[in-house]
Amino acid sequence: MQPKAPHSRLRTIVRIGAPLLLIGLLSGCLLPPDPKTDAAKDVFNLYLLVLALAAIVFIGVEGFLLYAVFRYRRKPGDDVLPEQLHGNNTVEVIWTLIPTVIVFTLFGFSMITLGEVNAKADNPTTIHVDGFQWQWTFRYEDGPSITGTATDPPVLAVPVGEPVRLVLNALDVNHSFYVPEFLIKRDLIPVGENGTPNELEFTVSEEGTYSGQCAEFCGVAHADMTFSVEAMSRDAFEQFIASGGATPPPAEGDCSTTIQLAAVESIQFDTDSIEVPAGEDFCVEFTNNDIVPHDFGVVETQFNGDDVAPGESITYQVPAMEAGDYTFICTLHPTAMVGDLSVTE
Amino acid sequence: MATTTLEPRTAGYRRAWVLDWLTTVDHKKIGILYIVNSFLFFFAAGILALVVRSELAVPGMQFLDQDTYNQAFTMHGTIMLFLFIIPVLSGFGNYIVPLQLGAPDMAFPRINALSFWLLPLGGLLIFSGYLFGGAAAEGWTSYAPLSNRAEGVGTDLWIIGLALVGTASILGAVNFITTIFKMRAPGMTLFRMPIFVWTILVTATLILLATPVLTAGLIALFIDRNYGGSFFDPSVGGNPILWQHIFWFFGHPEVYIVILPGMGVVSEVLPVFSRKPLFGYKAFVFATIAIGLLSFSVWAHHMFTTGGALFLPFFSFMTALIGIPTGVKMFNWLGTLYRGKLVFSSAMLFALGFISMFLIGGISGVMLASPPIDFHVQDTYFVVAHLHYVFFGGSVFAVFAATYYWFPKMFGRKLNEPLGKIHFWIHFIGFNLAFFPMHELGLLGMPRRIADYADRPDWVILNFMSTVGAFMIAVSVIPFLINVIATFINGEPAGDDPWEGNTLEWATTSPPPPYNFDRLPPIHSERPLFFLTHGHGHAAERPDDLEEGAEEDAEHRKGVV
Ligand code: HEM
Ligand SMILES: [Cu+2]
């Protein structure tokens, strides 16, 4: 046995100070947001437990590493070989047990929390969430259907304190419904005709507005797929459904020029240039033959028509414009669906 | 009468310098080609990383549009993994494995050359998407059905390029496995092989089992895209989740393909600069094999949030299990340092950097194994932080450790130590500044792969820190490059064995002759050179060592081992 090295004061300070500092740093800046659903509270507690285990491992290993670096430096001119330790089966067994105990603890508690997160309620309020490139549609049973745009993200209204079930359907590619303050996400997978869509259940515990965003990369404008969840009282929720249920009736075509325009498969217009006369209203008879919602808008005048669900059509009446070159777009897909609109005398 | 003199072939034909490198089948030259080629791709992918980080420095779209951003991170990830980190480690394997085994070359020198030359070809094909209307932009995982529908040839070039690169690594794997089983010098039993060789052996096995699965998936995707197939497209009866299973069945072993050789490098460097043997050699070997085996049963932990019929507890449990052999390795490294006499060369600093950074990646990995926590942080910057602590904090640190450690053997000159230390410290600090804040960004809910993000004060400051760190990493490469150039011009001669190494590569000249060894020292343990330098007096400290060795010798002669 080698005699124990004398403790220097510096070392004592480092020994006590460093872990405290680290714990402070770790717990101060490695936390998820305050949980806002019942299940999220359990996840948060699980996370705290796991973070504590992680901190112990981190401090233990990094601490020993630092200690070794200072304690076992080779002194200049020291040519004596250290003892050639090849290993030791007893310690090998002990330090196989340490990570074993840690990971089994983690696994056990994770499974308990998983049960709580995946629990299903009896009579939840069901809302259909459709994800498509690159927006969301929230469809309420016996209520409105709300589709957002990149500049005007949609709001998902939910009653607070009651179980809510989302039916998650992807219309084109994978997406993921993610609300950080609920500490959960679930993917929207296009499952075809016979598949069962994913579901996600939660009970929001506090009124408020929580921002969310698509978390599964879904193409060009993935970053634009934001939305928010508004948790409100039962009364307010019912009012929301009642008032939002009425979508404005399609404008009646009342103009001398009518243009035919269609959206076709894989996020495209059927034409990339349109010509209309200047100085008078014109109509656009718009048909959506794609599998996701689209609309018609004019960039320069900020005309923004109502969304059209797949398979439906609508007639937009566009206010008179001066002669010149404009750009028309689908405001839901402003990068993929663009065309030239020339307004001539 | 005329007489014919027989000369070694290498002296027989003198080729032009360039032609010599283009046609070489010498494992050492091929190894260097691998390494140089990989570093070129590293710099290219690094520039793409800077592009990504610059765009993200502050919220709002600065100088890219969304599509170019998506191409940038897709190319960054793809090139870093498939054309930098895997090949660079194969490069060191190519150079070092035959030397460490006491072999004159790899088993199949020509296949070796082929598997190298497929790499630049594949890499250029992947990059060439930029010339034809845009590179692939679906992420390195290229999930279906997004990848089915993506337009443009960029994605097709990505598929073809990866299939070639995959073929290259399959060929390389066959070569390594054969070399390791068939080309060992007399006395070099399996349990006397250096740990680096062991990790390459397990890695090659993983490549051989996992990569063909990816290749098959890539071909299926190509058929879907170009010949009306419907493997993955749900609108015509395919299953998009199938792609994820195929991809991750390859993709998870891939993580170990990248990290195991890095662990091998560290296990070579630590003992030499601690002047002690690796603590628990056999435990380390078994832990490596265990990681390799387990890595095939955990793939779906990348798919926890896909819902459906996935049985989470199984995949969560298997993933947690991998923590155990990894923990054992960690302890063995610490045990190696314990009561050693540590010398802080640049190689040692990078090896210690590996241990301290890989630990963080390992811890966040175990956290991700817990499904409820994964539900929150999956596909956020927490995962980006995790994967960089493993790939960068782990493997890339190991690559630099290997570079400082083996450079003298490859070129006969030592890299400059003060410059090496400057490189290390800027690199280390920059790395943590760039990637530690990403943990918190992810916990706060910032998704990965977004070209722009919400203008929230907490996100903004963390992103800005990360961008500063990224540029520090870029700056740290400057002293490294200066170092390499200066050493070629006027480096300190290394001699055969500059570090008092343990393994056979140090028994020959630096650089070694084309046939590697004039003669080999006797091999009675995993540290033949240590015993050569320090004599068998030290072996007496481990009395069973020689007897055990003798037993193994006998078995070896009988052809058992
Ligand atoms: C200069 C150093 C590096 C920086 C600044 C950096 C930065 C980043 C960032 C910011 C992302 C996330 C992009 C996004 O999700 O939008 C990313 C992704 C990624 N990085 Fe790095 N990285 C660096 C080095 C490396 C290295 C050395 C490797 C591997 C050996 C690597 C592998 C990856 C992979 C696989 C992805 C995922 C790509 C994807 O999402 O498809 N990176 N990197
Ligand atoms: Cu999306």
Side-chain angles (χ1 to χ4, degrees), chain A residues 29 62 72 74 78 84 86 92 110 185, chain B residues 280 306 332 341-342 356 370 376 378 440 527:
Chain A
C29 73
E62 305 283 2
Y72 301 121
R74 181 180 181 184
D78 178 358
Q84 299 295 297
H86 283 263
E92 213 72 63
S110 297
K185 66 174 65 66
Chain B
T306 56
N332 279 328
K341 296 209 169 152
L342 312 190
S356 61
S370 162
H376 176 47
Q378 187 260 356
E440 178 62 6
R527 298 196 296 165

mmCIF file with all atom_site columns, all heavy atoms in Angstrom, chain A residues 29 62 72 74 78 84 86 92 110 185, chain B residues 280 306 332 341-342 356 370 376 378 440 527:
data_model
loop_
_atom_site.group_PDB
_atom_site.id
_atom_site.type_symbol
_atom_site.label_atom_id
_atom_site.label_alt_id
_atom_site.label_comp_id
_atom_site.label_asym_id
_atom_site.label_entity_id
_atom_site.label_seq_id
_atom_site.pdbx_PDB_ins_code
_atom_site.Cartn_x
_atom_site.Cartn_y
_atom_site.Cartn_z
_atom_site.occupancy
_atom_site.B_iso_or_equiv
_atom_site.pdbx_formal_charge
_atom_site.auth_seq_id
_atom_site.auth_comp_id
_atom_site.auth_asym_id
_atom_site.auth_atom_id
_atom_site.pdbx_PDB_model_num
ATOM 1   N N   . CYS A 1 29  ? -29.482 24.683 -15.548 1.00 0.00 ? 29  CYS A N   1
ATOM 2   C CA  . CYS A 1 29  ? -29.665 24.921 -16.973 1.00 0.00 ? 29  CYS A CA  1
ATOM 3   C C   . CYS A 1 29  ? -29.943 23.664 -17.760 1.00 0.00 ? 29  CYS A C   1
ATOM 4   O O   . CYS A 1 29  ? -29.793 23.625 -18.952 1.00 0.00 ? 29  CYS A O   1
ATOM 5   C CB  . CYS A 1 29  ? -28.477 25.664 -17.552 1.00 0.00 ? 29  CYS A CB  1
ATOM 6   S SG  . CYS A 1 29  ? -27.029 24.654 -17.695 1.00 0.00 ? 29  CYS A SG  1
ATOM 7   N N   . GLU A 1 62  ? -15.885 12.205 -14.161 1.00 0.00 ? 62  GLU A N   1
ATOM 8   C CA  . GLU A 1 62  ? -15.068 13.370 -14.503 1.00 0.00 ? 62  GLU A CA  1
ATOM 9   C C   . GLU A 1 62  ? -14.198 13.754 -13.298 1.00 0.00 ? 62  GLU A C   1
ATOM 10  O O   . GLU A 1 62  ? -13.063 14.196 -13.446 1.00 0.00 ? 62  GLU A O   1
ATOM 11  C CB  . GLU A 1 62  ? -15.927 14.564 -14.930 1.00 0.00 ? 62  GLU A CB  1
ATOM 12  C CG  . GLU A 1 62  ? -16.890 14.287 -16.082 1.00 0.00 ? 62  GLU A CG  1
ATOM 13  C CD  . GLU A 1 62  ? -16.233 14.250 -17.459 1.00 0.00 ? 62  GLU A CD  1
ATOM 14  O OE1 . GLU A 1 62  ? -15.005 14.401 -17.562 1.00 0.00 ? 62  GLU A OE1 1
ATOM 15  O OE2 . GLU A 1 62  ? -16.978 14.053 -18.448 1.00 0.00 ? 62  GLU A OE2 1
ATOM 16  N N   . TYR A 1 72  ? -1.522  11.783 -10.789 1.00 0.00 ? 72  TYR A N   1
ATOM 17  C CA  . TYR A 1 72  ? -0.610  10.782 -11.353 1.00 0.00 ? 72  TYR A CA  1
ATOM 18  C C   . TYR A 1 72  ? 0.253   11.303 -12.483 1.00 0.00 ? 72  TYR A C   1
ATOM 19  O O   . TYR A 1 72  ? 0.682   10.550 -13.349 1.00 0.00 ? 72  TYR A O   1
ATOM 20  C CB  . TYR A 1 72  ? -1.406  9.551  -11.832 1.00 0.00 ? 72  TYR A CB  1
ATOM 21  C CG  . TYR A 1 72  ? -2.201  8.894  -10.741 1.00 0.00 ? 72  TYR A CG  1
ATOM 22  C CD1 . TYR A 1 72  ? -3.582  8.770  -10.841 1.00 0.00 ? 72  TYR A CD1 1
ATOM 23  C CD2 . TYR A 1 72  ? -1.571  8.412  -9.590  1.00 0.00 ? 72  TYR A CD2 1
ATOM 24  C CE1 . TYR A 1 72  ? -4.321  8.180  -9.837  1.00 0.00 ? 72  TYR A CE1 1
ATOM 25  C CE2 . TYR A 1 72  ? -2.304  7.813  -8.578  1.00 0.00 ? 72  TYR A CE2 1
ATOM 26  C CZ  . TYR A 1 72  ? -3.681  7.707  -8.705  1.00 0.00 ? 72  TYR A CZ  1
ATOM 27  O OH  . TYR A 1 72  ? -4.398  7.124  -7.713  1.00 0.00 ? 72  TYR A OH  1
ATOM 28  N N   . ARG A 1 74  ? 3.378   12.251 -14.513 1.00 0.00 ? 74  ARG A N   1
ATOM 29  C CA  . ARG A 1 74  ? 4.752   11.756 -14.438 1.00 0.00 ? 74  ARG A CA  1
ATOM 30  C C   . ARG A 1 74  ? 5.663   12.943 -14.179 1.00 0.00 ? 74  ARG A C   1
ATOM 31  O O   . ARG A 1 74  ? 5.639   13.930 -14.911 1.00 0.00 ? 74  ARG A O   1
ATOM 32  C CB  . ARG A 1 74  ? 5.132   11.116 -15.765 1.00 0.00 ? 74  ARG A CB  1
ATOM 33  C CG  . ARG A 1 74  ? 6.539   10.560 -15.778 1.00 0.00 ? 74  ARG A CG  1
ATOM 34  C CD  . ARG A 1 74  ? 6.800   9.951  -17.138 1.00 0.00 ? 74  ARG A CD  1
ATOM 35  N NE  . ARG A 1 74  ? 8.144   9.372  -17.203 1.00 0.00 ? 74  ARG A NE  1
ATOM 36  C CZ  . ARG A 1 74  ? 8.638   8.852  -18.313 1.00 0.00 ? 74  ARG A CZ  1
ATOM 37  N NH1 . ARG A 1 74  ? 7.912   8.850  -19.429 1.00 0.00 ? 74  ARG A NH1 1
ATOM 38  N NH2 . ARG A 1 74  ? 9.845   8.333  -18.315 1.00 0.00 ? 74  ARG A NH2 1
ATOM 39  N N   . ASP A 1 78  ? 11.497  11.168 -13.894 1.00 0.00 ? 78  ASP A N   1
ATOM 40  C CA  . ASP A 1 78  ? 11.076  9.942  -13.215 1.00 0.00 ? 78  ASP A CA  1
ATOM 41  C C   . ASP A 1 78  ? 11.050  8.789  -14.210 1.00 0.00 ? 78  ASP A C   1
ATOM 42  O O   . ASP A 1 78  ? 10.163  8.715  -15.059 1.00 0.00 ? 78  ASP A O   1
ATOM 43  C CB  . ASP A 1 78  ? 9.684   10.176 -12.616 1.00 0.00 ? 78  ASP A CB  1
ATOM 44  C CG  . ASP A 1 78  ? 9.152   8.922  -11.941 1.00 0.00 ? 78  ASP A CG  1
ATOM 45  O OD1 . ASP A 1 78  ? 9.852   7.892  -11.981 1.00 0.00 ? 78  ASP A OD1 1
ATOM 46  O OD2 . ASP A 1 78  ? 8.049   8.990  -11.373 1.00 0.00 ? 78  ASP A OD2 1
ATOM 47  N N   . GLN A 1 84  ? 2.846   -2.601 -12.663 1.00 0.00 ? 84  GLN A N   1
ATOM 48  C CA  . GLN A 1 84  ? 2.163   -3.021 -13.891 1.00 0.00 ? 84  GLN A CA  1
ATOM 49  C C   . GLN A 1 84  ? 0.892   -3.803 -13.549 1.00 0.00 ? 84  GLN A C   1
ATOM 50  O O   . GLN A 1 84  ? 0.854   -5.020 -13.641 1.00 0.00 ? 84  GLN A O   1
ATOM 51  C CB  . GLN A 1 84  ? 3.115   -3.845 -14.765 1.00 0.00 ? 84  GLN A CB  1
ATOM 52  C CG  . GLN A 1 84  ? 4.350   -3.077 -15.203 1.00 0.00 ? 84  GLN A CG  1
ATOM 53  C CD  . GLN A 1 84  ? 4.011   -1.912 -16.122 1.00 0.00 ? 84  GLN A CD  1
ATOM 54  O OE1 . GLN A 1 84  ? 3.496   -2.102 -17.213 1.00 0.00 ? 84  GLN A OE1 1
ATOM 55  N NE2 . GLN A 1 84  ? 4.286   -0.683 -15.683 1.00 0.00 ? 84  GLN A NE2 1
ATOM 56  N N   . HIS A 1 86  ? -2.460  -5.462 -14.195 1.00 0.00 ? 86  HIS A N   1
ATOM 57  C CA  . HIS A 1 86  ? -3.144  -5.932 -15.399 1.00 0.00 ? 86  HIS A CA  1
ATOM 58  C C   . HIS A 1 86  ? -4.645  -5.988 -15.262 1.00 0.00 ? 86  HIS A C   1
ATOM 59  O O   . HIS A 1 86  ? -5.347  -6.189 -16.246 1.00 0.00 ? 86  HIS A O   1
ATOM 60  C CB  . HIS A 1 86  ? -2.636  -7.318 -15.781 1.00 0.00 ? 86  HIS A CB  1
ATOM 61  C CG  . HIS A 1 86  ? -1.302  -7.255 -16.444 1.00 0.00 ? 86  HIS A CG  1
ATOM 62  N ND1 . HIS A 1 86  ? -1.148  -7.272 -17.806 1.00 0.00 ? 86  HIS A ND1 1
ATOM 63  C CD2 . HIS A 1 86  ? -0.061  -7.149 -15.934 1.00 0.00 ? 86  HIS A CD2 1
ATOM 64  C CE1 . HIS A 1 86  ? 0.133   -7.192 -18.107 1.00 0.00 ? 86  HIS A CE1 1
ATOM 65  N NE2 . HIS A 1 86  ? 0.823   -7.123 -16.993 1.00 0.00 ? 86  HIS A NE2 1
ATOM 66  N N   . GLU A 1 92  ? -13.626 -5.737 -11.348 1.00 0.00 ? 92  GLU A N   1
ATOM 67  C CA  . GLU A 1 92  ? -14.317 -5.844 -12.636 1.00 0.00 ? 92  GLU A CA  1
ATOM 68  C C   . GLU A 1 92  ? -15.793 -6.204 -12.402 1.00 0.00 ? 92  GLU A C   1
ATOM 69  O O   . GLU A 1 92  ? -16.685 -5.639 -13.022 1.00 0.00 ? 92  GLU A O   1
ATOM 70  C CB  . GLU A 1 92  ? -13.617 -6.910 -13.474 1.00 0.00 ? 92  GLU A CB  1
ATOM 71  C CG  . GLU A 1 92  ? -13.600 -6.670 -14.968 1.00 0.00 ? 92  GLU A CG  1
ATOM 72  C CD  . GLU A 1 92  ? -12.664 -5.553 -15.430 1.00 0.00 ? 92  GLU A CD  1
ATOM 73  O OE1 . GLU A 1 92  ? -11.415 -5.645 -15.260 1.00 0.00 ? 92  GLU A OE1 1
ATOM 74  O OE2 . GLU A 1 92  ? -13.188 -4.601 -15.989 1.00 0.00 ? 92  GLU A OE2 1
ATOM 75  N N   . SER A 1 110 ? -38.888 4.179  -15.802 1.00 0.00 ? 110 SER A N   1
ATOM 76  C CA  . SER A 1 110 ? -39.370 4.588  -17.123 1.00 0.00 ? 110 SER A CA  1
ATOM 77  C C   . SER A 1 110 ? -40.638 3.838  -17.488 1.00 0.00 ? 110 SER A C   1
ATOM 78  O O   . SER A 1 110 ? -41.573 4.418  -18.042 1.00 0.00 ? 110 SER A O   1
ATOM 79  C CB  . SER A 1 110 ? -38.322 4.298  -18.193 1.00 0.00 ? 110 SER A CB  1
ATOM 80  O OG  . SER A 1 110 ? -37.176 5.034  -17.948 1.00 0.00 ? 110 SER A OG  1
ATOM 81  N N   . LYS A 1 185 ? -44.260 14.282 -27.816 1.00 0.00 ? 185 LYS A N   1
ATOM 82  C CA  . LYS A 1 185 ? -44.566 14.415 -29.232 1.00 0.00 ? 185 LYS A CA  1
ATOM 83  C C   . LYS A 1 185 ? -45.032 13.064 -29.728 1.00 0.00 ? 185 LYS A C   1
ATOM 84  O O   . LYS A 1 185 ? -44.735 12.031 -29.113 1.00 0.00 ? 185 LYS A O   1
ATOM 85  C CB  . LYS A 1 185 ? -43.334 14.877 -30.021 1.00 0.00 ? 185 LYS A CB  1
ATOM 86  C CG  . LYS A 1 185 ? -42.203 13.878 -30.062 1.00 0.00 ? 185 LYS A CG  1
ATOM 87  C CD  . LYS A 1 185 ? -41.096 14.332 -30.969 1.00 0.00 ? 185 LYS A CD  1
ATOM 88  C CE  . LYS A 1 185 ? -40.394 15.577 -30.487 1.00 0.00 ? 185 LYS A CE  1
ATOM 89  N NZ  . LYS A 1 185 ? -39.637 15.382 -29.216 1.00 0.00 ? 185 LYS A NZ  1
ATOM 90  N N   . GLY B 2 280 ? -7.615  -4.668 -17.276 1.00 0.00 ? 280 GLY B N   1
ATOM 91  C CA  . GLY B 2 280 ? -8.688  -5.590 -17.658 1.00 0.00 ? 280 GLY B CA  1
ATOM 92  C C   . GLY B 2 280 ? -8.802  -5.817 -19.156 1.00 0.00 ? 280 GLY B C   1
ATOM 93  O O   . GLY B 2 280 ? -9.845  -5.589 -19.754 1.00 0.00 ? 280 GLY B O   1
ATOM 94  N N   . THR B 2 306 ? -42.942 6.813  -33.125 1.00 0.00 ? 306 THR B N   1
ATOM 95  C CA  . THR B 2 306 ? -43.760 6.465  -34.294 1.00 0.00 ? 306 THR B CA  1
ATOM 96  C C   . THR B 2 306 ? -45.037 5.749  -33.894 1.00 0.00 ? 306 THR B C   1
ATOM 97  O O   . THR B 2 306 ? -45.843 5.436  -34.755 1.00 0.00 ? 306 THR B O   1
ATOM 98  C CB  . THR B 2 306 ? -43.004 5.550  -35.276 1.00 0.00 ? 306 THR B CB  1
ATOM 99  O OG1 . THR B 2 306 ? -42.565 4.401  -34.571 1.00 0.00 ? 306 THR B OG1 1
ATOM 100 C CG2 . THR B 2 306 ? -41.819 6.256  -35.889 1.00 0.00 ? 306 THR B CG2 1
ATOM 101 N N   . ASN B 2 332 ? -12.551 0.627  -16.981 1.00 0.00 ? 332 ASN B N   1
ATOM 102 C CA  . ASN B 2 332 ? -11.237 0.065  -17.325 1.00 0.00 ? 332 ASN B CA  1
ATOM 103 C C   . ASN B 2 332 ? -10.251 1.162  -17.725 1.00 0.00 ? 332 ASN B C   1
ATOM 104 O O   . ASN B 2 332 ? -9.071  1.087  -17.407 1.00 0.00 ? 332 ASN B O   1
ATOM 105 C CB  . ASN B 2 332 ? -11.371 -0.955 -18.456 1.00 0.00 ? 332 ASN B CB  1
ATOM 106 C CG  . ASN B 2 332 ? -11.824 -2.310 -17.945 1.00 0.00 ? 332 ASN B CG  1
ATOM 107 O OD1 . ASN B 2 332 ? -11.494 -2.698 -16.829 1.00 0.00 ? 332 ASN B OD1 1
ATOM 108 N ND2 . ASN B 2 332 ? -12.592 -3.019 -18.733 1.00 0.00 ? 332 ASN B ND2 1
ATOM 109 N N   . LYS B 2 341 ? 1.825   6.735  -14.532 1.00 0.00 ? 341 LYS B N   1
ATOM 110 C CA  . LYS B 2 341 ? 2.660   7.928  -14.581 1.00 0.00 ? 341 LYS B CA  1
ATOM 111 C C   . LYS B 2 341 ? 2.339   8.623  -15.886 1.00 0.00 ? 341 LYS B C   1
ATOM 112 O O   . LYS B 2 341 ? 2.873   8.296  -16.943 1.00 0.00 ? 341 LYS B O   1
ATOM 113 C CB  . LYS B 2 341 ? 4.131   7.534  -14.497 1.00 0.00 ? 341 LYS B CB  1
ATOM 114 C CG  . LYS B 2 341 ? 4.428   6.880  -13.160 1.00 0.00 ? 341 LYS B CG  1
ATOM 115 C CD  . LYS B 2 341 ? 5.832   7.073  -12.695 1.00 0.00 ? 341 LYS B CD  1
ATOM 116 C CE  . LYS B 2 341 ? 5.958   6.629  -11.242 1.00 0.00 ? 341 LYS B CE  1
ATOM 117 N NZ  . LYS B 2 341 ? 7.310   6.169  -10.925 1.00 0.00 ? 341 LYS B NZ  1
ATOM 118 N N   . LEU B 2 342 ? 1.420   9.566  -15.791 1.00 0.00 ? 342 LEU B N   1
ATOM 119 C CA  . LEU B 2 342 ? 0.807   10.089 -17.003 1.00 0.00 ? 342 LEU B CA  1
ATOM 120 C C   . LEU B 2 342 ? 1.676   11.133 -17.684 1.00 0.00 ? 342 LEU B C   1
ATOM 121 O O   . LEU B 2 342 ? 2.217   12.028 -17.047 1.00 0.00 ? 342 LEU B O   1
ATOM 122 C CB  . LEU B 2 342 ? -0.555  10.731 -16.679 1.00 0.00 ? 342 LEU B CB  1
ATOM 123 C CG  . LEU B 2 342 ? -1.505  9.921  -15.814 1.00 0.00 ? 342 LEU B CG  1
ATOM 124 C CD1 . LEU B 2 342 ? -2.878  10.570 -15.800 1.00 0.00 ? 342 LEU B CD1 1
ATOM 125 C CD2 . LEU B 2 342 ? -1.605  8.496  -16.263 1.00 0.00 ? 342 LEU B CD2 1
ATOM 126 N N   . SER B 2 356 ? -13.691 12.044 -21.502 1.00 0.00 ? 356 SER B N   1
ATOM 127 C CA  . SER B 2 356 ? -14.566 12.973 -20.799 1.00 0.00 ? 356 SER B CA  1
ATOM 128 C C   . SER B 2 356 ? -15.763 13.384 -21.644 1.00 0.00 ? 356 SER B C   1
ATOM 129 O O   . SER B 2 356 ? -16.843 13.638 -21.114 1.00 0.00 ? 356 SER B O   1
ATOM 130 C CB  . SER B 2 356 ? -13.776 14.201 -20.339 1.00 0.00 ? 356 SER B CB  1
ATOM 131 O OG  . SER B 2 356 ? -13.242 14.868 -21.448 1.00 0.00 ? 356 SER B OG  1
ATOM 132 N N   . SER B 2 370 ? -34.929 5.973  -22.228 1.00 0.00 ? 370 SER B N   1
ATOM 133 C CA  . SER B 2 370 ? -36.162 5.975  -21.461 1.00 0.00 ? 370 SER B CA  1
ATOM 134 C C   . SER B 2 370 ? -37.278 6.552  -22.330 1.00 0.00 ? 370 SER B C   1
ATOM 135 O O   . SER B 2 370 ? -37.264 7.732  -22.649 1.00 0.00 ? 370 SER B O   1
ATOM 136 C CB  . SER B 2 370 ? -35.954 6.844  -20.217 1.00 0.00 ? 370 SER B CB  1
ATOM 137 O OG  . SER B 2 370 ? -37.205 7.202  -19.679 1.00 0.00 ? 370 SER B OG  1
ATOM 138 N N   . HIS B 2 376 ? -40.159 13.401 -25.279 1.00 0.00 ? 376 HIS B N   1
ATOM 139 C CA  . HIS B 2 376 ? -39.981 14.849 -25.215 1.00 0.00 ? 376 HIS B CA  1
ATOM 140 C C   . HIS B 2 376 ? -38.816 15.326 -26.079 1.00 0.00 ? 376 HIS B C   1
ATOM 141 O O   . HIS B 2 376 ? -38.953 16.268 -26.855 1.00 0.00 ? 376 HIS B O   1
ATOM 142 C CB  . HIS B 2 376 ? -39.775 15.286 -23.762 1.00 0.00 ? 376 HIS B CB  1
ATOM 143 C CG  . HIS B 2 376 ? -39.484 16.751 -23.600 1.00 0.00 ? 376 HIS B CG  1
ATOM 144 N ND1 . HIS B 2 376 ? -40.218 17.729 -24.226 1.00 0.00 ? 376 HIS B ND1 1
ATOM 145 C CD2 . HIS B 2 376 ? -38.534 17.406 -22.911 1.00 0.00 ? 376 HIS B CD2 1
ATOM 146 C CE1 . HIS B 2 376 ? -39.741 18.924 -23.923 1.00 0.00 ? 376 HIS B CE1 1
ATOM 147 N NE2 . HIS B 2 376 ? -38.704 18.760 -23.133 1.00 0.00 ? 376 HIS B NE2 1
ATOM 148 N N   . GLN B 2 378 ? -36.794 13.597 -28.403 1.00 0.00 ? 378 GLN B N   1
ATOM 149 C CA  . GLN B 2 378 ? -36.490 13.025 -29.705 1.00 0.00 ? 378 GLN B CA  1
ATOM 150 C C   . GLN B 2 378 ? -36.712 14.082 -30.792 1.00 0.00 ? 378 GLN B C   1
ATOM 151 O O   . GLN B 2 378 ? -37.605 14.906 -30.680 1.00 0.00 ? 378 GLN B O   1
ATOM 152 C CB  . GLN B 2 378 ? -37.399 11.802 -29.937 1.00 0.00 ? 378 GLN B CB  1
ATOM 153 C CG  . GLN B 2 378 ? -37.067 11.020 -31.180 1.00 0.00 ? 378 GLN B CG  1
ATOM 154 C CD  . GLN B 2 378 ? -37.992 11.356 -32.330 1.00 0.00 ? 378 GLN B CD  1
ATOM 155 O OE1 . GLN B 2 378 ? -38.916 12.127 -32.161 1.00 0.00 ? 378 GLN B OE1 1
ATOM 156 N NE2 . GLN B 2 378 ? -37.721 10.786 -33.479 1.00 0.00 ? 378 GLN B NE2 1
ATOM 157 N N   . GLU B 2 440 ? -29.745 21.988 -23.711 1.00 0.00 ? 440 GLU B N   1
ATOM 158 C CA  . GLU B 2 440 ? -30.804 22.809 -23.142 1.00 0.00 ? 440 GLU B CA  1
ATOM 159 C C   . GLU B 2 440 ? -31.783 23.264 -24.226 1.00 0.00 ? 440 GLU B C   1
ATOM 160 O O   . GLU B 2 440 ? -32.992 23.285 -24.013 1.00 0.00 ? 440 GLU B O   1
ATOM 161 C CB  . GLU B 2 440 ? -30.184 24.004 -22.407 1.00 0.00 ? 440 GLU B CB  1
ATOM 162 C CG  . GLU B 2 440 ? -31.181 24.973 -21.812 1.00 0.00 ? 440 GLU B CG  1
ATOM 163 C CD  . GLU B 2 440 ? -32.077 24.344 -20.738 1.00 0.00 ? 440 GLU B CD  1
ATOM 164 O OE1 . GLU B 2 440 ? -31.860 23.174 -20.367 1.00 0.00 ? 440 GLU B OE1 1
ATOM 165 O OE2 . GLU B 2 440 ? -33.010 25.037 -20.295 1.00 0.00 ? 440 GLU B OE2 1
ATOM 166 N N   . ARG B 2 527 ? 1.672   -7.125 -25.170 1.00 0.00 ? 527 ARG B N   1
ATOM 167 C CA  . ARG B 2 527 ? 2.591   -5.992 -25.236 1.00 0.00 ? 527 ARG B CA  1
ATOM 168 C C   . ARG B 2 527 ? 3.995   -6.459 -25.617 1.00 0.00 ? 527 ARG B C   1
ATOM 169 O O   . ARG B 2 527 ? 4.947   -6.295 -24.835 1.00 0.00 ? 527 ARG B O   1
ATOM 170 C CB  . ARG B 2 527 ? 2.649   -5.276 -23.883 1.00 0.00 ? 527 ARG B CB  1
ATOM 171 C CG  . ARG B 2 527 ? 1.321   -4.679 -23.454 1.00 0.00 ? 527 ARG B CG  1
ATOM 172 C CD  . ARG B 2 527 ? 1.492   -3.673 -22.341 1.00 0.00 ? 527 ARG B CD  1
ATOM 173 N NE  . ARG B 2 527 ? 2.000   -4.303 -21.121 1.00 0.00 ? 527 ARG B NE  1
ATOM 174 C CZ  . ARG B 2 527 ? 2.501   -3.620 -20.092 1.00 0.00 ? 527 ARG B CZ  1
ATOM 175 N NH1 . ARG B 2 527 ? 2.585   -2.297 -20.150 1.00 0.00 ? 527 ARG B NH1 1
ATOM 176 N NH2 . ARG B 2 527 ? 2.937   -4.248 -19.025 1.00 0.00 ? 527 ARG B NH2 1
#
